[in-house]
Coordinates of all heavy atoms in Angstrom, one line a residue:
L226 N -90.4 -92.5 8.9 CA -90.7 -92.6 10.3 C -90.8 -94.0 10.7 O -91.4 -94.8 10.0 CB -92.0 -91.8 10.7 CG -91.9 -90.3 10.4 CD1 -93.3 -89.7 10.7 CD2 -90.8 -89.6 11.1
P227 N -90.3 -94.4 11.9 CA -90.4 -95.8 12.4 C -91.8 -96.3 12.3 O -92.8 -95.7 12.9 CB -89.9 -95.8 13.8 CG -89.1 -94.5 13.9 CD -89.7 -93.6 12.9
G228 N -92.0 -97.5 11.6 CA -93.3 -98.1 11.6 C -94.3 -97.4 10.7 O -95.5 -97.7 10.7
V229 N -93.9 -96.4 10.0 CA -94.8 -95.6 9.1 C -94.4 -95.8 7.7 O -93.3 -95.3 7.3 CB -94.8 -94.1 9.5 CG1 -95.7 -93.3 8.6 CG2 -95.3 -93.9 11.0
N230 N -95.2 -96.4 6.9 CA -94.9 -96.6 5.5 C -95.3 -95.5 4.6 O -96.2 -95.6 3.7 CB -95.5 -97.9 5.0 CG -95.0 -98.4 3.6 OD1 -93.9 -98.1 3.2 ND2 -95.9 -99.0 2.9
V231 N -94.6 -94.3 4.8 CA -94.9 -93.1 4.0 C -93.6 -92.6 3.5 O -92.7 -92.4 4.3 CB -95.7 -92.1 4.8 CG1 -96.0 -90.8 4.0 CG2 -97.0 -92.6 5.4
P232 N -93.5 -92.3 2.2 CA -92.2 -91.8 1.7 C -91.9 -90.4 2.2 O -92.7 -89.6 2.5 CB -92.4 -91.8 0.2 CG -93.9 -91.7 0.0 CD -94.5 -92.4 1.1
T233 N -90.6 -90.1 2.3 CA -90.1 -88.8 2.6 C -90.2 -88.0 1.3 O -90.2 -88.5 0.2 CB -88.7 -88.8 3.1 OG1 -87.8 -89.2 2.1 CG2 -88.5 -89.8 4.3
L234 N -90.2 -86.6 1.5 CA -90.2 -85.7 0.4 C -88.9 -85.9 -0.4 O -88.9 -85.9 -1.7 CB -90.3 -84.3 0.8 CG -91.7 -83.9 1.3 CD1 -91.6 -82.5 2.1 CD2 -92.6 -83.7 0.1
K235 N -87.8 -86.2 0.3 CA -86.5 -86.4 -0.4 C -86.5 -87.7 -1.3 O -86.0 -87.7 -2.4 CB -85.4 -86.5 0.7 CG -85.1 -85.2 1.4 CD -83.8 -85.3 2.2 CE -83.4 -83.9 2.7 NZ -82.1 -83.9 3.4
E236 N -87.2 -88.7 -0.8 CA -87.4 -89.9 -1.6 C -88.1 -89.6 -2.9 O -87.9 -90.2 -4.0 CB -88.2 -91.0 -0.9 CG -87.5 -91.8 0.1 CD -88.4 -92.8 0.7 OE1 -88.9 -93.8 0.0 OE2 -88.8 -92.7 1.9
L237 N -89.0 -88.6 -2.8 CA -89.8 -88.3 -4.0 C -89.1 -87.3 -4.9 O -89.7 -86.7 -5.8 CB -91.1 -87.7 -3.5 CG -92.0 -88.7 -2.7 CD1 -93.2 -88.0 -2.1 CD2 -92.4 -89.9 -3.5
G238 N -87.9 -87.0 -4.6 CA -87.1 -86.0 -5.4 C -87.3 -84.6 -5.1 O -86.9 -83.7 -5.8
I239 N -87.9 -84.3 -3.9 CA -88.1 -82.9 -3.4 C -87.2 -82.7 -2.2 O -87.5 -83.3 -1.1 CB -89.6 -82.7 -3.1 CG1 -90.5 -83.0 -4.3 CG2 -89.8 -81.2 -2.7 CD1 -91.9 -83.1 -3.9
D240 N -86.2 -81.9 -2.3 CA -85.2 -81.8 -1.3 C -85.6 -80.9 -0.2 O -85.2 -79.7 0.0 CB -83.9 -81.3 -1.9 CG -82.7 -81.3 -0.9 OD1 -82.8 -82.0 0.1 OD2 -81.7 -80.5 -1.1
V241 N -86.6 -81.4 0.6 CA -87.2 -80.6 1.7 C -87.2 -81.5 3.0 O -87.6 -82.6 3.0 CB -88.6 -80.1 1.4 CG1 -89.2 -79.5 2.7 CG2 -88.6 -79.1 0.3
E242 N -86.6 -80.9 4.1 CA -86.7 -81.6 5.4 C -86.9 -80.5 6.4 O -86.2 -79.5 6.5 CB -85.4 -82.3 5.7 CG -85.3 -82.9 7.1 CD -83.9 -83.5 7.4 OE1 -83.1 -83.6 6.5 OE2 -83.7 -83.7 8.6
I243 N -87.9 -80.7 7.3 CA -88.2 -79.7 8.3 C -88.9 -80.4 9.5 O -89.8 -81.2 9.3 CB -89.0 -78.5 7.8 CG1 -89.2 -77.4 8.9 CG2 -90.4 -79.0 7.2 CD1 -89.8 -76.1 8.3
G244 N -88.5 -80.1 10.7 CA -89.1 -80.7 11.9 C -89.9 -79.7 12.7 O -89.8 -78.5 12.5
N245 N -90.7 -80.2 13.5 CA -91.6 -79.4 14.4 C -91.4 -79.8 15.8 O -91.8 -80.8 16.3 CB -93.1 -79.7 14.0 CG -94.0 -78.8 14.8 OD1 -93.6 -77.8 15.4 ND2 -95.3 -79.1 14.8
W246 N -90.6 -78.9 16.6 CA -90.4 -79.2 18.0 C -91.3 -78.3 18.8 O -91.9 -77.3 18.4 CB -88.9 -78.8 18.3 CG -88.5 -77.4 18.0 CD1 -88.0 -76.9 16.9 CD2 -88.7 -76.3 18.9 NE1 -87.8 -75.5 17.0 CE2 -88.2 -75.1 18.2 CE3 -89.1 -76.1 20.2 CZ2 -88.2 -73.8 18.8 CZ3 -89.2 -74.8 20.8 CH2 -88.7 -73.7 20.1
R247 N -91.5 -78.8 20.1 CA -92.4 -78.1 21.0 C -91.7 -78.0 22.4 O -90.9 -78.9 22.8 CB -93.7 -78.9 21.2 CG -94.5 -78.9 19.9 CD -95.8 -79.6 20.1 NE -96.5 -79.6 18.8 CZ -96.8 -80.8 18.1 NH1 -96.5 -81.9 18.6 NH2 -97.4 -80.7 17.0
G248 N -92.0 -76.9 23.1 CA -91.4 -76.7 24.4 C -92.3 -75.9 25.3 O -93.5 -75.7 25.0
V249 N -91.8 -75.4 26.4 CA -92.6 -74.6 27.3 C -91.7 -73.4 27.8 O -90.5 -73.5 28.0 CB -93.1 -75.4 28.6 CG1 -94.2 -76.3 28.2 CG2 -91.9 -76.2 29.2
Y250 N -92.4 -72.3 28.1 CA -91.8 -71.1 28.6 C -92.5 -70.7 29.9 O -93.7 -71.1 30.1 CB -92.0 -69.9 27.6 CG -90.8 -69.7 26.7 CD1 -90.3 -70.7 26.0 CD2 -90.2 -68.4 26.6 CE1 -89.2 -70.5 25.1 CE2 -89.2 -68.2 25.8 CZ -88.6 -69.2 25.0 OH -87.5 -69.0 24.2
G251 N -91.8 -70.0 30.7 CA -92.4 -69.5 32.0 C -92.8 -68.0 31.8 O -92.5 -67.4 30.7
A252 N -93.4 -67.4 32.8 CA -93.9 -66.1 32.7 C -92.7 -65.0 32.6 O -91.6 -65.3 33.0 CB -94.8 -65.8 33.9
P253 N -93.0 -63.8 32.2 CA -92.0 -62.8 32.2 C -91.7 -62.4 33.6 O -92.5 -62.5 34.5 CB -92.7 -61.6 31.5 CG -93.9 -62.2 30.8 CD -94.3 -63.4 31.6
G254 N -90.4 -62.0 33.9 CA -90.1 -61.4 35.2 C -90.0 -62.3 36.3 O -89.9 -61.9 37.5
I255 N -89.9 -63.7 36.1 CA -89.8 -64.6 37.2 C -88.3 -64.6 37.6 O -87.4 -64.3 36.8 CB -90.3 -66.0 36.9 CG1 -89.5 -66.6 35.8 CG2 -91.8 -66.0 36.6 CD1 -89.9 -68.1 35.5
S256 N -88.0 -65.0 38.9 CA -86.6 -65.0 39.4 C -85.9 -66.2 38.9 O -86.6 -67.2 38.4 CB -86.7 -65.0 40.9 OG -87.2 -66.2 41.4
E257 N -84.6 -66.2 39.0 CA -83.8 -67.4 38.6 C -84.2 -68.6 39.4 O -84.3 -69.7 38.9 CB -82.3 -67.1 38.8 CG -81.4 -68.1 38.2 CD -81.6 -68.3 36.7 OE1 -82.0 -67.4 36.0 OE2 -81.5 -69.5 36.2
E258 N -84.6 -68.4 40.7 CA -85.0 -69.5 41.6 C -86.3 -70.1 41.1 O -86.5 -71.3 41.0 CB -85.1 -69.0 43.0 CG -83.8 -68.7 43.7 CD -83.2 -67.4 43.3 OE1 -83.9 -66.6 42.7 OE2 -82.0 -67.2 43.6
Q259 N -87.2 -69.2 40.7 CA -88.5 -69.7 40.1 C -88.3 -70.4 38.8 O -89.0 -71.4 38.6 CB -89.5 -68.5 39.9 CG -90.0 -67.9 41.2 CD -90.8 -66.6 40.9 OE1 -90.4 -65.7 40.2 NE2 -92.0 -66.6 41.5

């Protein structure tokens, strides 16, 4: 990571990469306009 001096799992010989994304949802049954 930029500015972060921490090794990746891949650097350590462990072939794992996974990201955590976040978002937002609206309520059920709202109109297309809403």
Side-chain angles (χ1 to χ4, degrees):
L226 301 176
V229 177
N230 188 29
V231 180
T233 67
L234 287 166
K235 289 189 172 184
E236 279 182 68
L237 300 174
I239 305 169
D240 188 19
V241 171
E242 176 189 345
I243 185 169
N245 183 16
W246 58 269
R247 298 184 181 114
V249 286
Y250 263 53
I255 61 174
S256 66
E257 190 58 34
E258 289 76 16
Q259 287 173 311

